[in-house]
Amino acid sequence: MMMARIRADPNAKHYNQGLIDSFFGDAERKIRQSGIKSGRIVNDTLKDLMSSFKGTVMSLDQGFASSDAVLAAAIWRNLLPEDDMVLQIDSIARFVRSQLAALDKCPVDDLIARNFAFQPVHP
């Protein structure tokens, strides 16, 4: 959601690259902390993660720009850990839309300065 919001800014490429670098730096640290020492295994795992990340971002972006049904399908395919959560997909899609609306109202400078918090989930 943050990457989709930042894309409207002239410095979007720089900001989004920072988000990606942070995400993958954190992922690499966690892989190494789990006891994996082989650089080849770490790199292969990060390549797989990158492939999955790109697919998820593309799918969610399509959902953000499309109907709630398309967004719900993207969330279900990419983010829901359990099939029984599909019963809550309408609520989840509405929540995501509300967070996107909140992000749209927040100036990019505030986002970059981390002066933004997602709204709490209300059951």
Side-chain angles (χ1 to χ4, degrees), residues 66-102:
S66 299
S67 68
D68 286 349
V70 174
L71 176 59
I75 292 168
W76 183 30
R77 279 192 314 272
N78 293 286
L79 302 177
L80 293 185
E82 302 171 17
D83 284 341
D84 63 340
M85 290 186 72
V86 74
L87 299 175
Q88 302 169 16
I89 195 67
D90 289 339
S91 297
I92 295 168
R94 279 193 306 274
F95 176 76
V96 168
R97 291 265 186 233
S98 74
Q99 299 308 290
L100 286 168

Side-chain angles (χ1 to χ4, degrees), residues 6-122:
I6 289 175
R7 265 191 217 109
D9 189 89
N11 294 314
K13 187 173 183 178
H14 171 75
Y15 294 147
N16 277 335
Q17 188 61 53
L19 286 170
I20 292 167
D21 290 348
S22 178
F23 173 79
F24 282 94
D26 188 45
E28 182 176 359
R29 277 189 299 284
K30 289 181 180 186
I31 291 167
R32 292 187 185 282
Q33 287 171 352
S34 73
I36 296 173
K37 303 293 183 208
S38 168
R40 192 177 119 248
I41 292 173
V42 171
N43 288 339
D44 288 348
T45 302
L46 289 172
K47 284 179 189 175
D48 290 345
L49 182 59
M50 176 58 94
S51 177
S52 178
F53 176 81
K54 287 178 180 179
T56 298
V57 168
M58 288 176 58
S59 179
L60 290 171
D61 278 352
Q62 183 180 17
F64 296 157
S66 299
S67 68
D68 286 349
V70 174
L71 176 59
I75 292 168
W76 183 30
R77 279 192 314 272
N78 293 286
L79 302 177
L80 293 185
E82 302 171 17
D83 284 341
D84 63 340
M85 290 186 72
V86 74
L87 299 175
Q88 302 169 16
I89 195 67
D90 289 339
S91 297
I92 295 168
R94 279 193 306 274
F95 176 76
V96 168
R97 291 265 186 233
S98 74
Q99 299 308 290
L100 286 168
L103 279 168
D104 281 344
K105 293 176 184 172
C106 187
V108 171
D109 290 340
D110 285 350
L111 297 176
I112 301 306
R114 299 180 181 171
N115 293 331
F116 176 83
F118 287 102
Q119 300 163 2
V121 175
H122 298 289

